[in-house]
Amino acid sequence: MDVLLDKEKKVLSIKMPQDIDVKDFKSAKEQIDKYPDISEVKLDFKDVPYLQSKLIAELIGIKKYSISKDIKLTLTNVQEGVQQILEISNLLDHFTIKRDFGSYSPHELSYLLLDPEMNEAVIEYIASNFNDNYAELLEQFFVSDDPVLIESAILIIGKSHNYGYVDRVKGCLDSPYPNVVRSAILVLGWFGEDSCKNKIYEFLKDEHIDVAEAAAATIALLSDENDSIAIKEYLSSSDERLRKIAIQALSLINDDFAYKFLVEHLKVENNETLRVQLAKAISYFNKPEVSDILLDMLKEDSLKIREAAASSLIRIKATDRVDQIMALVEDKDVWVAYFAVKAIGALCKEKRCSDQLEKIYSKVDTQVRIAIIESLGNIGQDVSEFLFQLLEDPNEDIRKEALNSISRMNKDLAIESANNALKDSSWVVRFKAIEILEELKPDGFKDTLKNHVKTETNRYVKEKIFSIVGEL
């Protein structure tokens, strides 16, 4: 059993052996006793492929022992087999589980880089702790024929700001592997390598979209007053993919020329997906007329464009356009009204807005009604009495949203309503009621759930209750 003490951070790391047994937990307790000043114990399970069920009690015991000494216990590098036994035992929530790459050798980390779920975290770790050992590892990556390792080496160089490797990164622009080229383009942008900009322009037309998008991002990082003008030419391309890349690049460059070109292109672009992108792109410019452009797009035929326009109005916090948006909440087109209501809920916190939405509630379509209920919760004014009446509505979605919005403005009424909703005919409403009780935690709510589960028929509701109170 390897033991490492970090005196400065008061952390004791204990590496558990592959053939872990009861005696190892006893030894761990003895190590803890040796260092009375520590504030955290890390049990490293890197070499432990599986944990026998008989050892679960030992693990719980060391958890309790740590608590008694006011020491935080963390399990690190837990393998899938150990994770599964903890999950089956319903113990995952009882332990803090983290990854600690410090216990891995550089060679071992190279294997972890090949795991898609681990790759990014390992790159960040090596970059943050770069030393001669990792420099040697990068040399091995560059001469390998594995594009994932080469890509990882480039990203490590970029994230650790190792400018000494810049020529090697430039050479990777000629790689046959798209992922390697993409990473090289990005890192050269991070490094501010203007000398490569002309070559990177060529990649805007690359058949691999990830490479083309990386080129757009890097050109934006390296841009001067001429780049918006150069990229504008791509907006007239018959290739929709290239127009998409040009819109992305111009939104990133974000100068006056870029804004002008995007607004002009909005007048002629007919592709729905690209108009959605334009709504988002234009919203990134700090111009007073952007709100009016988005308001016009809120009335377009496409639902996707309307949704993008509403989201963009919310993103730019267009509170000065609340009155104009409010004028659309009774629009004859249900979806114009729907997205207008959603925007009001995000932008307005005033009573006049909740009053107006409450006033039109009975006049609008069901979808808009549901949006109104959600927006009333977002606005935050206490209209719980109005919402309370809706808990009797025949529509289960309306009852569920009313219950949720009440919980955001009136705790006492929310608890009462959630308890009553446990008898609702819809499992969706009952599930929401349980979520609210879990969040608000009224006295005795676990006993209430234990009693309810005896008559509950829906499996999802039962599983939710068990996740709160445990198996009965």
Side-chain angles (χ1 to χ4, degrees), residues 88-122:
I88 292 169
S89 305
N90 201 28
L91 289 172
L92 273 180
D93 293 338
H94 292 267
F95 293 96
T96 300
I97 299 176
K98 294 183 178 179
R99 181 68 64 175
D100 181 6
F101 295 118
S103 63
Y104 289 84
S105 68
H107 182 69
E108 289 172 325
L109 287 177
S110 67
Y111 283 100
L112 293 182
L113 284 168
L114 299 175
D115 182 345
E117 294 183 1
M118 303 287 292
N119 179 270
E120 186 175 348
V122 176

Side-chain angles (χ1 to χ4, degrees), residues 52-108:
Q52 292 181 329
S53 56
K54 69 178 184 180
L55 297 179
I56 293 296
E58 299 297 329
L59 189 56
I60 294 173
I62 204 166
K63 167 79 170 180
K64 291 180 178 177
Y65 190 68
S66 299
I67 292 174
S68 70
K69 290 182 166 289
D70 197 25
I71 295 173
K72 178 183 177 182
L73 177 68
T74 303
L75 310 185
T76 64
N77 305 320
V78 175
Q79 293 194 41
E80 186 177 355
V82 177
Q83 184 110 354
Q84 285 179 349
I85 192 67
L86 292 176
E87 186 173 0
I88 292 169
S89 305
N90 201 28
L91 289 172
L92 273 180
D93 293 338
H94 292 267
F95 293 96
T96 300
I97 299 176
K98 294 183 178 179
R99 181 68 64 175
D100 181 6
F101 295 118
S103 63
Y104 289 84
S105 68
H107 182 69
E108 289 172 325

Side-chain angles (χ1 to χ4, degrees), residues 26 60 128 138 147 230 327 407 432:
K26 182 180 179 181
I60 294 173
S128 299
L138 292 193
S407 73
K432 173 53 67 176

